[in-house]
Amino acid sequence: MLPLPPNVHHASPIDQVGVEERVARFNTRSIKKESKMQGLKMALNMIDLTTLEGKDTVGKVQQLCYKAQHLADHLLDVPKVAAICVYPNHVKTAKKHLGNSGIKVASVATAFPSGNSNRRIKLLDTKMAVDHGADEVDMVISRGEFLQGNYNFVYDEIAAIKEACGMARLKVILETGELSTLDHVRLASDIAIAAGADFIKTSTGKIQPAATMPVTLVMLQAIKDHFDRTGIMIGMKPAGGISTAKIALQYLVMLYETLGTAWMNNHWFRFGASSLANDILMQIGKEQTGAYYSSDYLSKD
Amino acid sequence: MAIAKKKVTKPIAKKSVVTTKKVSAQKTENPSSDDFWKYAPAPESKDHVTLKEKYDLYIGGKFVKPNSGKYYETINPASGEVIAKIADGNEKDIHLAVTAARKAYDQHWGKLPGKERAKYIFRIARMMQERAREFAVIETMNGGKPIRESRDIDIPLAANHFFYYAGWADKLDYAFPNAKPKSLGVAGQIIPWNFPLLMAAWKLAPALATGNTVVLKPAESTPLTALKLAELIHDAGVPEGVVNIVTGFGPAGASLVNHPGIDKIAFTGSTPVGKYIQKAIAGTPKKATLELGGKAAHIIFDDAPIDQAVEGIVNGIFFNQGHVCCAGSRLFIQENVAELVIRKLKQRMKTLIVGDPMDKNTDIGAINSKEQMDKINQYIKIGIKEGAEIYQPECALPAKGFFCKPTLFLHTSQSHRIVQEEIFGPVLAVQTFRTLEEVIEKANNIPYGLSAGVWTDKGSKIFNLTTQLRAGVVWANTYNKFDPASPFGGYKESGFGREGGLHGLYPYVSLQS
């Protein structure tokens, strides 16, 4: 194994069975009544509403931006999502249509989703997103370099992108579905955090498995250890595969019991998801009206 | 590589200073300890539970009044309220039960082919699964354990024991190659209050599978699920007298041990009672298995998966309020990671929810009885007096019922009484160690030898350790895991004989060549 970057701590090994058992225990929590409603609204407010398709157009992004601001106008007291997540060439459109709604624009960058390009192009990609007004940049790490043991390369790249981000907050996507072990997930988390990540994020959504609770737990523990050591908070974004309100609540339980309430807002926690919002709205609608209604009442932008 | 390192460390050092400033400013906007999200109460419903006001003894396939005519009250330890009246069985009731069991053994059960016995035991297992929710709720009402545990562990595991041993009933010839296993006759079984239904299953299933009949005495404070089990066994059509359940206090248990009509005694409980039984049956042909106290060493090495080990420590000592004979009550942490492990353990303890056992989110329920509560409190006083550093998280306890905060004692040594004696509560004594040899010596330096746990990422270390630890069960990178196929039992003053697995059949048969 090649050496670790100088400020990356050696973490304890991870026992996968133990992690899965801990997750199973989170999932036995029964979230009812007011805590459920509060959790659902919190989750809605943490969503990065995402469209990352080759066929994205101005029209599509515009529609998504409207949806972000008007999730379900027929329901009472529904929060907005946290951000819209698009490719860099759609940042301008998103920015324009979100106006002063307070909803952030996040842009993927660095040859998303594979990350297979050179440093210069990745920096240009980042710069383009930032210049067009992205509030947040979601970069991918070089998984190939990581799996070769070239940890300093991964570290340097993140640090360079962080610098190019300027004031934009940097989310570092580990693409955990390609890292194969939880020990790798932990090491990649530690490298990303040490190199300047504001957020660490599980997945691009283009690789299966995307976000899972065991992977997210390991990343939350990396954040916790970093906080205990330095007092610095890092954000977390599980992305992909979180499609129901029930799963979102399970993630919130895990967040609550691992990092605590300080992280339970969209400054420190996000869900990268496209279909989650409607399922949450369905649950909120059920609470408010007493009955489930057809999904046709919810917009599919 | 070296060049790359040089190139980046500089700007990063600069960057990280910037980040620190920015984030610490944000941190002040985010108070970290407000409880703005709390779990709303999620009580399990009791609607589907049917309980009688008064329970009689189950003898010879009938529910009969106790000879004394007396009944005592059984309570819910989480509230103190009376749940039901329980027959107070005495020597005469025991005699009736043993007689009924002998008759059933001689006339029917002892002659029944294994595959026919298996049908009854499978039926018990299936019916237990069907009634699992009711059993879980009653177990929690009567014993104080969290519904999460009775629902997810006690009841499914009890049903699994019946399934497992039902499978052996017609295969005993293969379990003992070149020997002919023969059932013993009547087994007297005395079970504790910490896992009332599960212990009944551990004892009944192998006894029935091997062709014995049974007189079972539940613990006085937690008889309800055993009595519901009597109803279930009755509904399952198990022939009369095969299983007899006699409730009552210590004297009833003593009469069972001393009754000349029993061929075997199986006991789970305290070491002093185990010693009494040993003396009582000396000179008789009665066989015995004793599963007694424990004070398990739970060992955390510096190469352990620390976050998961912390979870293992929590499961080891706070499972079932620490009312577990194999609880990991002596924690040994390698000194170079002690600070880290203790910090993480304290953080985790803050998230444990202590309270109403019937709430699905409760982690630590009620202490089983007032006597046990007093005993735990007494040991906490002893620990403080001995100068150990106590830690308890801040958590509100219910006003009624018996509750105890999860408790750590730091900076203890082998000389502390809280390290040497079984507390049987949510109290963990923490010691540090330096080397493998040292921790093996200390782990074995106790009269008990039921269980132990070890956490290390190194497989060779696990095997090295397990061969040297004098404990019946050693868990590696996990704790308090139970399975019907796995034998369980102790060394030294933790008893002898094994329950579970193939080994669990031996105590109920005599082998003839």
Side-chain angles (χ1 to χ4, degrees):
Chain A
M1 199 170 84
L2 295 165
L4 287 182
N7 60 342
V8 174
H9 284 253
H10 271 282
S12 312
I14 312 280
D15 185 78
Q16 190 180 334
V17 175
V19 172
E20 284 165 2
E21 281 178 1
R22 181 72 182 110
V23 166
R25 181 120 180 222
F26 289 129
N27 295 350
T28 65
R29 292 291 193 213
S30 177
I31 306 302
K32 302 271 186 221
K33 301 191 185 89
E34 11 5 305
S35 51
K36 180 177 176 187
M37 277 313 283
Q38 201 186 341
L40 289 176
K41 287 182 182 171
M42 207 184 325
L44 207 54
N45 189 232
M46 288 168 167
I47 289 176
D48 281 4
L49 206 59
T50 304
T51 183
L52 294 169
E53 293 173 349
K55 59 178 193 262
D56 282 346
T57 57
V58 171
K60 162 79 189 177
V61 172
Q62 185 188 335
Q63 287 162 4
L64 200 66
C65 288
Y66 190 82
K67 160 132 189 165
Q69 300 167 77
H70 304 273
L71 286 170
D73 287 343
H74 60 287
L75 295 174
L76 305 168
D77 192 22
V78 171
K80 291 177 207 157
V81 297
I84 287 283
C85 184
V86 292
Y87 272 111
N89 54 334
H90 291 294
V91 168
K92 263 189 184 161
T93 311
K95 207 60 196 166
K96 182 176 147 200
H97 291 282
L98 288 172
N100 54 7
S101 63
I103 297 171
K104 303 260 193 296
V105 176
S107 171
V108 296
T110 69
F112 181 94
S114 77
N116 282 331
S117 189
N118 66 26
R119 179 83 45 93
R120 201 171 59 84
I121 288 170
K122 290 184 185 185
L123 286 169
L124 282 172
D125 202 18
T126 308
K127 222 170 145 11
M128 171 182 163
V130 174
D131 288 348
H132 287 187
D135 304 294
E136 298 164 2
V137 170
D138 291 28
M139 73 168 287
V140 291
I141 66 164
S142 296
R143 282 87 77 192
E145 296 292 343
F146 180 88
L147 292 172
Q148 285 176 61
N150 208 348
Y151 306 123
N152 278 287
F153 181 96
V154 175
Y155 179 98
D156 293 354
E157 191 171 73
I158 297 167
I161 301 291
K162 168 71 186 169
E163 208 166 13
C165 282
M167 290 306 287
R169 294 177 86 201
L170 175 64
K171 306 194 195 101
V172 178
I173 304 172
L174 310 180
E175 194 63 300
T176 53
E178 290 187 338
L179 297 184
S180 120
T181 67
L182 293 177
D183 283 307
H184 278 166
V185 171
R186 172 65 197 235
L187 177 57
S189 303
D190 287 344
I191 291 173
I193 291 169
D198 295 304
F199 260 85
I200 49 177
K201 173 175 168 184
T202 58
S203 330
T204 60
K206 306 291 181 193
I207 294 286
Q208 287 302 322
T212 64
M213 285 186 71
V215 155
T216 307
L217 177 58
V218 168
M219 293 168 73
L220 291 174
Q221 278 163 340
I223 291 171
K224 175 75 178 152
D225 287 344
H226 181 72
F227 178 77
D228 285 347
R229 211 163 40 229
T230 64
I232 298 171
M233 292 170 79
I234 304 290
M236 174 71 207
K237 178 178 172 183
I242 304 159
S243 53
T244 67
K246 187 181 173 186
I247 303 175
L249 283 177
Q250 291 172 335
Y251 273 81
L252 287 185
V253 165
M254 179 162 71
L255 177 67
Y256 179 55
E257 295 193 21
T258 310
L259 293 179
T261 50
W263 268 265
M264 299 190 74
N265 53 64
N266 67 17
H267 195 78
W268 297 114
F269 195 81
R270 297 284 176 83
F271 289 109
S274 46
S275 57
L276 173 62
N278 276 8
D279 197 67
I280 294 178
L281 290 168
M282 183 88 92
Q283 301 296 329
I284 294 177
K286 195 240 169 189
E287 272 319 295
Q288 290 184 3
T289 65
Y292 284 109
Y293 43 65
S294 156
S295 61
D296 287 342
Y297 285 90
L298 294 166
S299 60
K300 287 177 181 152
D301 282 309
Chain B
M1 213 55 259
I3 300 164
K5 233 193 283 176
K6 245 187 207 163
K7 238 166 64 186
V8 280
T9 38
K10 259 192 188 166
I12 284 314
K14 207 175 70 191
K15 265 271 106 78
S16 69
V17 173
V18 176
T19 322
T20 319
K21 260 192 204 157
K22 194 183 78 189
V23 180
S24 55
Q26 283 159 349
K27 222 178 75 186
T28 51
E29 295 162 21
N30 288 284
S32 58
S33 58
D34 63 337
D35 288 323
F36 83 98
W37 198 47
K38 268 205 173 122
Y39 303 149
E44 174 72 46
S45 160
K46 297 178 195 172
D47 297 349
H48 56 287
V49 169
T50 50
L51 277 173
K52 295 191 283 193
E53 271 176 38
K54 207 162 92 173
Y55 280 91
D56 288 322
L57 309 170
Y58 185 62
I59 296 174
K62 291 182 195 69
F63 289 93
V64 298
K65 296 202 177 335
N67 170 267
S68 65
K70 279 193 233 158
Y71 292 83
Y72 68 94
E73 290 174 337
T74 190
I75 62 156
N76 180 342
S79 63
E81 69 194 64
V82 176
I83 311 173
K85 288 189 169 154
I86 306 296
D88 186 1
N90 65 15
E91 196 179 348
K92 287 185 177 142
D93 301 308
I94 291 287
H95 180 68
L96 280 179
V98 173
T99 311
R102 175 61 61 193
K103 193 174 150 200
Y105 178 75
D106 289 342
Q107 297 186 352
H108 182 67
W109 192 255
K111 298 173 189 161
L112 206 61
K115 69 172 186 184
E116 296 302 320
R117 293 197 304 269
K119 287 179 189 170
Y120 288 109
I121 306 168
F122 273 124
R123 200 179 296 158
I124 293 171
R126 284 196 302 269
M127 287 173 68
M128 192 174 282
Q129 286 184 324
E130 284 163 12
R131 302 182 188 183
R133 257 184 85 194
E134 188 182 20
F135 272 105
V137 169
I138 295 174
E139 196 74 309
T140 288
M141 280 169 74
N142 200 195
K145 64 174 66 201
I147 186 74
R148 182 185 67 80
E149 289 177 9
S150 46
R151 178 195 66 201
D152 296 348
I153 299 165
D154 289 63
I155 312 302
L157 206 49
N160 279 349
H161 267 269
F162 282 109
F163 274 119
Y164 176 81
Y165 280 110
W168 272 122
D170 61 349
K171 303 172 194 72
L172 295 174
D173 290 340
Y174 306 96
F176 306 102
N178 305 319
K180 250 182 119 78
K182 200 182 164 304
S183 55
L184 299 173
V186 178
Q189 305 184 325
I190 302 173
I191 58 172
W193 47 260
N194 57 345
F195 295 94
L197 184 70
L198 183 59
M199 288 303 109
W202 277 30
K203 301 247 178 310
L204 286 172
L208 298 181
T210 45
N212 300 277
T213 57
V214 174
V215 177
L216 178 92
K217 188 206 156 291
E220 61 265 23
S221 64
T222 56
L224 280 178
T225 43
L227 292 164
K228 291 301 280 188
L229 178 62
E231 289 176 1
L232 184 153
I233 284 170
H234 193 76
D235 294 347
V238 174
E240 57 181 49
V242 171
V243 177
N244 305 274
I245 297 182
V246 180
T247 49
F249 291 81
S255 341
L256 181 57
V257 170
N258 291 313
H259 197 287
I262 62 163
D263 300 290
K264 177 201 155 62
I265 191 87
F267 172 75
T268 297
S270 71
T271 295
V273 177
K275 286 179 178 174
Y276 165 83
I277 292 173
Q278 269 278 66
K279 283 178 196 150
I281 62 173
T284 74
K286 291 174 192 172
K287 286 179 87 170
T289 43
L290 303 176
E291 202 264 89
L292 310 173
K295 191 81 183 176
H298 201 173
I299 305 164
I300 317 293
F301 284 103
D302 59 358
D303 55 4
I306 300 290
D307 285 312
Q308 290 75 54
V310 166
E311 209 49 38
I313 297 167
V314 167
N315 288 333
I317 188 65
F318 303 130
F319 172 56
N320 198 27
Q321 296 75 246
H323 302 328
V324 184
C325 43
C326 53
S329 49
R330 283 188 300 153
L331 183 65
F332 291 94
I333 315 174
Q334 199 152 19
E335 213 155 304
N336 53 348
V337 290
E339 215 186 296
L340 177 71
V341 172
I342 290 165
R343 172 163 55 78
K344 283 177 180 268
L345 180 58
K346 285 180 177 176
Q347 284 171 352
R348 175 71 176 97
M349 284 167 69
K350 285 180 192 160
T351 67
L352 291 171
I353 301 171
V354 187
D356 179 11
M358 206 58 85
D359 191 299
K360 289 177 227 169
N361 289 327
T362 292
D363 296 308
I364 300 180
I367 301 300
N368 188 270
S369 63
K370 182 166 186 309
E371 294 74 54
Q372 192 56 29
M373 189 74 228
D374 292 345
K375 185 182 167 195
I376 295 166
N377 283 335
Q378 193 193 336
Y379 271 109
I380 290 177
K381 274 190 201 137
I382 292 170
I384 294 169
K385 212 171 151 200
E386 284 179 317
E389 181 189 323
I390 187 172
Y391 172 79
Q392 292 177 321
E394 282 177 33
C395 58
L397 299 183
K400 277 197 294 181
F402 314 123
F403 291 91
C404 179
K405 287 182 180 183
T407 305
L408 289 186
F409 275 110
L410 304 170
H411 311 300
T412 63
S413 67
Q414 289 289 94
S415 322
H416 280 80
R417 275 186 68 193
I418 50 168
V419 169
Q420 296 166 342
E421 296 170 21
E422 186 179 36
I423 300 173
F424 226 59
V427 182
L428 178 63
V430 185
Q431 297 182 69
T432 58
F433 69 95
R434 297 155 299 173
T435 64
L436 182 83
E437 295 73 25
E438 179 188 359
V439 78
I440 289 171
E441 191 183 13
K442 286 184 173 170
N444 289 336
N445 175 211
I446 194 98
Y448 296 113
L450 189 55
S451 60
V454 50
W455 291 79
T456 164
D457 212 31
K458 211 167 221 177
S460 57
K461 205 187 271 177
I462 293 170
F463 287 110
N464 180 10
L465 203 79
T466 46
T467 52
Q468 296 180 69
L469 286 178
R470 302 274 296 162
V473 182
V474 183
W475 284 289
N477 294 333
T478 187
Y479 206 92
N480 274 342
K481 277 278 166 319
F482 307 97
D483 190 281
S486 171
F488 184 93
Y491 272 85
K492 301 193 279 189
E493 289 193 19
S494 290
F496 51 78
R498 294 292 178 265
E499 292 180 303
L502 178 60
H503 303 67
L505 293 169
Y506 277 91
Y508 289 97
V509 294
S510 63
L511 295 178
Q512 288 148 1
S513 47

